[in-house]
Amino acid sequence: MTIKHISAFLFLYTAFYISTPSAYAVTADDLHKAIETKTQELTVINAQIQETQKNLNSISQKGKTLKQEIQKYDYQINQLALGIKASQITIERFGLEIETLGDTIDEKRKNINIKREAIADFLRQLHEKSNENLLEMLLSKETLAESFAVTENISAVNEHLSEEVQGLEEIRQTLTANLDQVTQKKKSVESEYTTLRNKKAISEDQKGARQE
C-alpha cells in the first residue's frame, strides 16, 4: 500500500464518519410541526380565556340576582373548562417536546460513539490493508515529504474527530438539561390540570345548589 493509497483511504474514511446523515429527520420535522400546531391551539384557547374573564368581571360588577349569580357560575365553569383544555394542550405539547429532545439526545449519543470509535477503526482498517509495518511503509520508497503529509493527515483526522466528540457532548449535556426542565414544567401543568378539574366540579355543585 503506497502513500497515495493511504491518503485516498484517509479521505474516504473521514468523509464517511464526519458526514453522518440524520436518521430521524422526517420524524423530528413531524414532531416540530405537531408542537407548532399545539402552540397555535393554545393561543386560541388563551384568547377565549381572556374574553371569558372580561365577561366574568362584567357580571361581577352587576347586582346579585339569582339569574346573575347562575350566569356568573356559568362563566366560571366555562373559564375553568377552557383552563382545563389549555392545560391538556400544554401537557401534550410538553410531551412532544420531551419526545423531540429524547430523539435528539439519542442521535447525539450515537454520533458521539461513532466519533469515539472512528480513529480506532481507521487505524485497525489501515493496518489490515497494509502488508508492511506502518513505520517501514512511511520510510520506504516514498519521499520524506509524502510521509510527513500522511502523518499530518492522520493527526488532523484524529484532532477533528476529537473536537466533534467534545462539541457533540456539550450539545448533549445542554439538551439533557432542557429535557429535565421541560419534564418539570409538564409535571407542574399536570398538577394545575388536576386543580382546575376540582375547581370546576365545585363550581358545578355550587351552581346546582343555587338552582334548587
Side-chain angles (χ1 to χ4, degrees):
M1 186 185 233
T2 66
I3 299 296
K4 292 180 180 179
H5 291 155
I6 297 172
S7 297
F9 184 68
L10 262 171
F11 173 80
L12 293 174
Y13 189 89
T14 304
F16 173 78
Y17 276 101
I18 293 177
S19 304
T20 305
S22 175
Y24 70 107
V26 175
T27 301
D29 186 57
D30 291 342
L31 287 173
H32 285 304
K33 288 180 180 178
I35 291 171
E36 180 61 27
T37 298
K38 294 298 178 184
T39 301
Q40 293 173 357
E41 292 177 4
L42 195 57
T43 300
V44 173
I45 295 297
N46 286 334
Q48 293 175 352
I49 289 174
Q50 291 177 2
E51 184 64 27
T52 304
Q53 185 61 49
K54 290 180 182 179
N55 294 331
L56 188 57
N57 292 339
S58 177
I59 197 69
S60 297
Q61 294 173 358
K62 297 180 180 180
K64 292 187 177 181
T65 65
L66 178 59
K67 180 179 179 181
Q68 288 170 336
E69 283 193 36
I70 292 175
Q71 189 176 17
K72 180 179 178 181
Y73 281 122
D74 285 337
Y75 282 134
Q76 287 177 336
I77 292 169
N78 187 35
Q79 179 85 329
L80 290 167
L82 289 170
I84 290 170
K85 188 172 182 180
S87 295
Q88 288 176 322
I89 294 173
T90 303
I91 290 169
E92 292 170 359
R93 189 185 68 181
F94 280 146
L96 291 169
E97 290 180 7
I98 289 171
E99 184 177 353
T100 301
L101 287 169
D103 288 345
T104 305
I105 290 170
D106 288 342
E107 182 73 7
K108 297 302 180 185
R109 186 180 292 112
K110 290 177 183 178
N111 284 340
I112 287 170
N113 291 334
I114 289 174
K115 305 301 182 183
R116 282 175 174 170
E117 295 172 359
I119 287 297
D121 287 344
F122 165 73
L123 293 175
R124 177 180 56 79
Q125 292 182 40
L126 184 63
H127 179 71
E128 290 176 353
K129 290 178 177 294
S130 176
N131 293 323
E132 303 176 21
N133 178 273
L134 181 60
L135 180 60
E136 293 178 352
M137 180 176 54
L138 290 174
L139 295 177
S140 65
K141 299 181 182 178
E142 307 292 342
T143 66
L144 187 60
E146 289 176 323
S147 299
F148 280 136
V150 173
T151 303
E152 289 176 358
N153 283 341
I154 294 174
S155 177
V157 171
N158 186 22
E159 182 178 355
H160 183 85
L161 291 174
S162 297
E163 290 175 353
E164 285 207 353
V165 168
Q166 182 178 355
L168 289 169
E169 180 61 29
E170 290 174 356
I171 293 173
R172 188 193 66 80
Q173 291 176 0
T174 300
L175 290 171
T176 300
N178 291 343
L179 177 61
D180 292 339
Q181 291 177 1
V182 173
T183 301
Q184 290 302 318
K185 289 179 181 179
K186 181 172 179 286
K187 290 180 180 179
S188 177
V189 176
E190 287 172 343
S191 177
E192 178 185 354
Y193 172 79
T194 301
T195 301
L196 289 172
R197 285 178 61 88
N198 292 335
K199 287 182 177 181
K200 181 172 179 288
I202 292 172
S203 294
E204 288 172 342
D205 290 342
Q206 291 174 338
K207 175 186 174 183
R210 294 296 295 164
Q211 288 176 319
E212 291 179 355

